[in-house]
Amino acid sequence: MRRRREALAEAGAGARAAAILLETFLRPGDVVAVFWSIGDELDTAPLRAGLIERGHDIALPVVVGRGQPLALRAWRPGDAMASGPFGIQEPLAAAPALQPTLIVVPFLAVNRRGYRLGYGGGYYDRTIAGLPAARTVGWGYAGQVIDRLPTGPNDQAVDAVVTEAGWFVTEERES
């Protein structure tokens, strides 16, 4: 799936996906947790810029420890950041914790039921489980949507999926 994602990466795809999410899922006053994309992940920079432009509070994930949900801390452009355990930039510990109403979740693969394959640490599954009132949107390339995906008892389905080519409400949320 990583090789597949690498082949899908294209300039401008993040901006197209951001436009879809901002026009389709964003509600006035939403506090949005969004990840800092790395490597060939679908770029979240246009989404962060659009959220700032619309006046929304943004939370970035912070890895607290193995087996723990992510902390979601406030972030604004220009804030000091630190390199987290996986080399991803994170807000400093002094940044306030936020309670998101919308969580944007990365995936290596996702199926139409809304179950996703991440990097294997379960961080987002634990985070989503701990915030049942928050809406969740998977974020990745259209070519990462697959038919079948193994799931486990702790996996959490996202409510919808946004890609550069469109969006869909997941089957788990339709029923």
Side-chain angles (χ1 to χ4, degrees):
M1 288 311 302
R2 287 182 187 184
R3 283 191 297 275
R4 179 187 237 178
R5 183 182 65 200
E6 182 180 353
L8 296 168
E10 69 174 91
R16 292 193 307 274
I20 292 167
L21 189 145
L22 293 168
E23 297 304 319
T24 307
F25 294 98
L26 196 60
R27 297 178 183 164
D30 267 339
V31 174
V32 183
V34 62
F35 64 100
W36 196 274
S37 53
I38 57 170
D40 53 20
E41 290 178 329
L42 183 61
D43 191 9
T44 56
L47 177 58
R48 292 190 311 270
L51 292 167
I52 294 294
E53 183 178 293
R54 288 166 175 76
H56 290 271
D57 288 333
I58 296 175
L60 290 178
V62 174
V63 176
V64 177
R66 190 178 187 137
Q68 301 296 313
L70 298 163
L72 299 168
R73 299 198 180 281
W75 173 83
R76 301 295 286 179
D79 283 357
M81 304 273 278
S83 184
F86 300 105
I88 301 169
Q89 293 298 296
E90 299 178 343
L92 300 179
L98 294 180
Q99 182 91 5
T101 54
L102 178 65
I103 304 172
V104 179
V105 184
F107 57 80
L108 279 172
V110 68
N111 64 19
R112 294 235 169 235
R113 292 180 57 213
Y115 290 100
R116 47 177 280 288
L117 175 65
Y119 290 107
Y123 292 102
Y124 274 98
D125 292 315
R126 284 187 290 280
T127 303
I128 292 167
L131 296 167
R135 299 174 343 271
T136 54
V137 175
W139 177 270
Y141 293 101
Q144 293 175 271
V145 179
I146 61 175
D147 292 331
R148 294 190 351 229
L149 190 67
T151 59
N154 297 318
D155 290 340
Q156 301 290 314
V158 293
D159 298 315
V161 172
V162 169
T163 74
E164 80 287 4
W167 66 276
F168 60 90
V169 173
T170 61
E171 293 169 5
E172 286 294 308
R173 300 304 176 218
E174 288 177 343
S175 54

